Amino acid sequence: VQLVESGGGLVQPGGSLRLSCVASGMLFRINVMGWYRQAPGKQRAMVAFIRSGGSANYIDSVKGRFTISRDNAKNTVYLQMNGLKPEDTAVYYCSTYPPSGYWGQGTQVTVSS
């Protein structure tokens, strides 16, 4: 299993980013996929997950700001992040939900003025 995240960067508060994660070596379309983040000094935590049919769940702090989506034909899961806040600063990872133990290298998101 290989997971490759991209799309992170430095953005000002209130800005937007779109993260992508391409998966290989797994039956992507049948898996529930999740985005996770790890802030400095904190444990990795789930942010959102999306079922194979497209329904999704989010942690309360990102509801209304983040949108998770997937393209099963491209083995890709996305995280559209709007209204970014400094507390969203973290390394973002994708994996299955629950986590399978496979992780990519992550993509750094920094929200700062």
Side-chain angles (χ1 to χ4, degrees):
V1 175
Q2 187 174 18
L3 300 159
V4 180
E5 301 96 342
S6 63
L10 173 63
V11 63
Q12 293 187 341
S16 298
L17 285 173
R18 189 193 195 204
L19 307 183
S20 299
C21 171
V22 180
S24 59
M26 60 185 293
L27 289 174
F28 179 85
R29 67 181 185 278
I30 67 171
N31 276 283
V32 180
M33 296 299 297
W35 280 99
Y36 303 77
R37 66 186 179 187
Q38 186 168 17
K42 296 187 176 181
Q43 290 190 334
R44 193 173 303 180
M46 189 273 291
V47 175
F49 65 86
I50 184 167
R51 300 172 185 85
S52 57
S55 60
N57 286 71
Y58 302 87
I59 58 172
D60 285 346
S61 62
V62 307
K63 283 181 181 177
R65 299 190 298 123
F66 290 11
T67 303
I68 188 171
S69 62
R70 64 191 295 162
D71 185 337
N72 290 337
K74 295 182 178 180
N75 283 10
T76 302
V77 59
Y78 304 98
L79 188 67
Q80 177 67 45
M81 306 186 295
N82 300 328
L84 282 160
K85 303 176 180 181
E87 52 264 42
D88 295 317
T89 295
V91 179
Y92 284 71
Y93 303 86
C94 74
S95 184
T96 58
Y97 180 78
S100 61
Y102 293 100
W103 299 98
Q105 82 290 347
T107 186
Q108 175 71 49
V109 172
T110 303
V111 185
S112 175
S113 55

